Amino acid sequence: MPALSIGDLARRTGVPVETIRYYERMGLLPKPPRTEGNYRAYEAAHERRLAFVKRSRDLGFGLDAIRALLDLADGADRPCGEVDALARDQLAEVERKIADLTAMRAELQDMLGHCRADTVADCEIIGRLRGR
Amino acid sequence: MPALSIGDLARRTGVPVETIRYYERMGLLPKPPRTEGNYRAYEAAHERRLAFVKRSRDLGFGLDAIRALLDLADGADRPCGEVDALARDQLAEVERKIADLTAMRAELQDMLGHCRADTVADCEIIGRLRGR
DNA sequence: CTTGACCCTGTAGCGACTACAGGGTGCAGA
DNA sequence: TCTGCACCCTGTAGTCGCTACAGGGTCAAG
């Protein structure tokens, strides 16, 4: 495989060009070699690393957690307890958000279900936002 | 009721002092009168308005939407269709987020459920982040 | 040899706060 | 009366994860 330009990498991974440069600045991706014209020249290893980052982002991991995951992934012999802990923390966070949003959904549905008025004066939604 | 200081208002509404000042800068709260010593002096109406903002925030409305809701709430005779539309948009947004997070949760649970390895080399979690 | 797509760096903006720094105010106790 | 302390003020910068320029350079096709 020949070297990939940043645009090629963006198309292959679905990660925007600007975001790839951002990840590089943030230390998630190694600085790739440059061409004569100072263009970034990526290889397959870069693509794999970026795909790892993208999948982690899609699962909601923050960039700090991803840095940690990448470090761990690079040390094959290390025990994977830390990986487990990171995933567990992330799951807990996701569950917390789901709980919050589920409560919001119930309240919004209830408001909308009771909305029968024509004017703001007796609007159930406004009334509830006011606190009944 | 005597005038409330910003700290009193913060304690009564559960909104931090810094956030109250921020809402004022953003035009969600009117600029209150000041004491001789240049302290903000709030009345019951301010407290009601801030409570409205807080409840809306707790339901996930953005500050722009809240500004619109406040405007609508101030005009009692206007039809409440716009209020309805804002609430409906917010519900749709909340449902979209729940769907995303539910997918994340399933994937994270699945990863964690399959984690039986001792080392990173055969860690199921790392493997899946790598793309199997 | 020009056009246009791509690439480069550096900086500023988003939303909704949050956290200072560096000062002023006000009140209770010694 | 003085002093200490909690509170208040403004203004600015930082957070997170991008995203959007501005102002330039590179490169291949026509």
Side-chain angles (χ1 to χ4, degrees), chain B residues 5-7 21 34 38-40:
Chain B
S5 75
I6 195 168
R21 285 197 280 249
R34 301 294 183 114
N38 198 32
Y39 285 16
R40 288 169 180 82

Side-chain angles (χ1 to χ4, degrees), chain A residues 37-112:
Chain A
N38 197 33
Y39 285 17
R40 287 168 179 83
Y42 293 102
E43 303 293 339
H46 293 102
E47 188 180 344
R48 282 194 297 275
R49 198 170 173 95
L50 179 54
F52 185 106
V53 171
K54 181 176 171 25
R55 265 186 295 272
S56 304
R57 282 298 295 135
D58 288 347
L59 291 170
F61 285 97
L63 300 195
D64 283 354
I66 296 174
R67 241 184 307 265
L69 286 169
L70 284 165
D71 276 3
L72 290 164
D74 288 347
D77 295 339
R78 308 236 294 282
C80 74
E82 281 180 69
V83 175
D84 218 69
L86 285 167
R88 229 175 275 283
D89 286 355
Q90 180 54 22
L91 178 57
E93 183 65 16
V94 166
E95 283 176 338
R96 206 189 47 71
K97 283 183 185 163
I98 289 174
D100 285 356
L101 287 163
T102 302
M104 289 182 200
R105 179 177 59 185
E107 180 74 17
L108 286 165
Q109 281 170 339
D110 205 46
M111 275 177 168
L112 283 160

Side-chain angles (χ1 to χ4, degrees), chain A residues 5-7 21 34 38 40:
Chain A
S5 74
I6 196 169
R21 285 196 280 249
R34 301 294 184 115
N38 197 33
R40 287 168 179 83

